[in-house]
């Protein structure tokens, strides 16, 4: 069988497209799995020993577990954990922080995803309200701090004696930093559900 220059050029073109497609698919598969792992706001985990306890907590809090920020017209549900899957659909709760008393710590994306719930938190000012709802009741907090911290600064999610809420998100184009909002409790309503 003899090949003409035109046939060889066409065959070369098809093989080139095929090879580029294979390399693209391999690269995309590797990059997207690494990218998901790199988007965890904090990767420090303190496991809950009893898996059943975690499932019960999540089931009880499901739709009643919410954060509301009136200034930002934000009203969104909260889920346990800060892994990429949680942050793609809800505000995430740091597993090592409290649910009700003490320091309740939450995380969310602020850009680049379908769910960027903390997109505008950098505009929060002293005294702005954050409302936290659970099955136990509703607490209203007032912003006390809005600052940029190092991504390695864990001090803001440590336990506290007073009741406060801490919001953490990435800082745009500065991957070694995080935006941190802390608010202290000013009022409470029990058993609202």
């Amino acid at each position: 069988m003899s090949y003409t220059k035109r046939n060889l050029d066409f065959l070369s073109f098809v093989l080139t497209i095929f090879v580029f497609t294979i390399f693209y698919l391999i690269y995309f598969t590797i990059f997207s799995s690494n990218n998901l792992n790199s988007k965890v706001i904090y990767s420090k985990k303190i496991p809950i020993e009893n898996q059943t306890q975690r499932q019960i907590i999540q089931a009880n809090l499901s739709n009643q577990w919410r954060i509301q920020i009136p200034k930002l017209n934000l009203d969104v549900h909260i889920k346990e954990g800060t892994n990429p899957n949680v942050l793609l659909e809800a505000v995430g709760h740091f597993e090592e922080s409290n649910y009700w008393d003490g320091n309740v710590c939450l995380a969310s994306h602020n850009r680049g995803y379908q769910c960027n719930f903390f997109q505008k938190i950098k505009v929060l000012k002293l005294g702005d309200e954050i409302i936290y709802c659970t099955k136990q009741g509703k607490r209203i907090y007032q912003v006390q701090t809005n600052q940029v911290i190092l991504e390695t600064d864990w001090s803001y999610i440590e336990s506290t004696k007073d009741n406060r809420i801490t919001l953490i998100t990435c800082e745009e184009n500065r991957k070694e930093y995080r935006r941190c909002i802390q608010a202290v409790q000013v009022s409470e309503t029990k058993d609202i559900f």
Side-chain angles (χ1 to χ4, degrees), residues 160-175:
T160 58
K161 291 181 181 177
D162 63 338
N163 293 331
R164 61 182 56 209
I165 194 164
T166 303
L167 312 181
I168 303 282
T169 193
C170 294
E171 186 64 12
E172 187 173 359
N173 300 323
R174 300 170 70 193
K175 66 181 194 179

Side-chain angles (χ1 to χ4, degrees), residues 8-9 33 54 58 61 63 65 69 71 87 104 106 111 115 117-120 126 141 158-160 168 179 183-184:
L8 289 174
D9 287 344
S33 67
R54 175 183 285 158
Q58 186 64 46
L61 296 174
N63 289 329
W65 199 14
I69 305 177
K71 182 175 184 175
L87 297 182
V104 176
L106 307 174
R111 69 194 189 319
C115 297
F117 297 119
F118 286 176
Q119 184 174 14
K120 298 177 183 174
L126 296 179
Y141 302 82
E158 291 176 357
S159 296
T160 58
I168 303 282
R179 171 74 51 180
V184 294

Side-chain angles (χ1 to χ4, degrees), residues 147-158:
Q147 62 187 351
V148 176
I149 61 172
L150 287 171
E151 71 171 337
T152 55
D153 185 353
W154 294 91
S155 63
Y156 290 91
I157 63 169
E158 291 176 357

Side-chain angles (χ1 to χ4, degrees), residues 71-118:
K71 182 175 184 175
L72 306 180
N73 294 320
L74 179 72
D75 181 359
V76 65
H77 63 286
I78 300 168
K79 286 191 167 190
E80 182 60 37
T82 57
N83 68 59
N85 293 331
V86 169
L87 297 182
L88 287 176
E89 58 185 39
V91 168
H93 174 259
F94 284 91
E95 294 175 350
E96 59 269 26
S97 77
N98 294 318
Y99 291 95
W100 185 246
D101 291 323
N103 190 11
V104 176
C105 303
L106 307 174
S108 182
H109 292 301
N110 64 27
R111 69 194 189 319
Y113 293 89
Q114 187 173 346
C115 297
N116 302 305
F117 297 119
F118 286 176

Side-chain angles (χ1 to χ4, degrees), residues 4-192:
T4 65
K5 178 162 176 29
R6 183 175 173 178
N7 288 349
L8 289 174
D9 287 344
F10 179 73
L11 184 60
S12 175
F13 174 75
V14 169
L15 285 173
T16 302
I17 296 297
F18 178 76
V19 169
F20 277 116
T21 303
I22 296 299
F23 279 120
Y24 175 77
L25 291 173
I26 291 170
Y27 174 77
F28 181 74
T29 303
I30 292 169
F31 177 76
S32 59
S33 67
N34 286 342
N35 194 24
L36 276 178
N37 291 336
S38 69
K39 294 299 181 188
V40 177
I41 290 185
Y42 280 114
S43 59
K44 179 181 176 187
K45 299 279 184 197
I46 299 176
I48 296 176
E49 302 267 333
N50 184 341
Q51 186 65 25
T52 305
Q53 178 187 7
R54 175 183 285 158
Q55 291 167 347
I56 291 170
I57 289 169
Q58 186 64 46
N60 286 341
L61 296 174
S62 59
N63 289 329
Q64 299 168 2
W65 199 14
R66 307 189 71 75
I67 180 173
Q68 301 166 339
I69 305 177
K71 182 175 184 175
L72 306 180
N73 294 320
L74 179 72
D75 181 359
V76 65
H77 63 286
I78 300 168
K79 286 191 167 190
E80 182 60 37
T82 57
N83 68 59
N85 293 331
V86 169
L87 297 182
L88 287 176
E89 58 185 39
V91 168
H93 174 259
F94 284 91
E95 294 175 350
E96 59 269 26
S97 77
N98 294 318
Y99 291 95
W100 185 246
D101 291 323
N103 190 11
V104 176
C105 303
L106 307 174
S108 182
H109 292 301
N110 64 27
R111 69 194 189 319
Y113 293 89
Q114 187 173 346
C115 297
N116 302 305
F117 297 119
F118 286 176
Q119 184 174 14
K120 298 177 183 174
I121 66 169
K122 66 183 176 185
V123 303
L124 292 176
K125 302 209 180 309
L126 296 179
D128 286 340
E129 286 188 348
I130 298 173
I131 302 166
Y132 178 69
C133 303
T134 73
K135 191 171 184 175
Q136 290 182 270
K138 175 173 82 171
R139 284 191 171 153
I140 298 176
Y141 302 82
Q142 285 185 340
V143 173
Q144 185 179 53
T145 306
N146 182 341
Q147 62 187 351
V148 176
I149 61 172
L150 287 171
E151 71 171 337
T152 55
D153 185 353
W154 294 91
S155 63
Y156 290 91
I157 63 169
E158 291 176 357
S159 296
T160 58
K161 291 181 181 177
D162 63 338
N163 293 331
R164 61 182 56 209
I165 194 164
T166 303
L167 312 181
I168 303 282
T169 193
C170 294
E171 186 64 12
E172 187 173 359
N173 300 323
R174 300 170 70 193
K175 66 181 194 179
E176 68 275 6
Y177 294 98
R178 299 289 182 258
R179 171 74 51 180
C180 176
I181 309 292
Q182 269 199 335
V184 294
Q185 180 190 339
V186 293
S187 69
E188 174 180 325
T189 306
K190 292 272 192 177
D191 303 318
I192 60 169

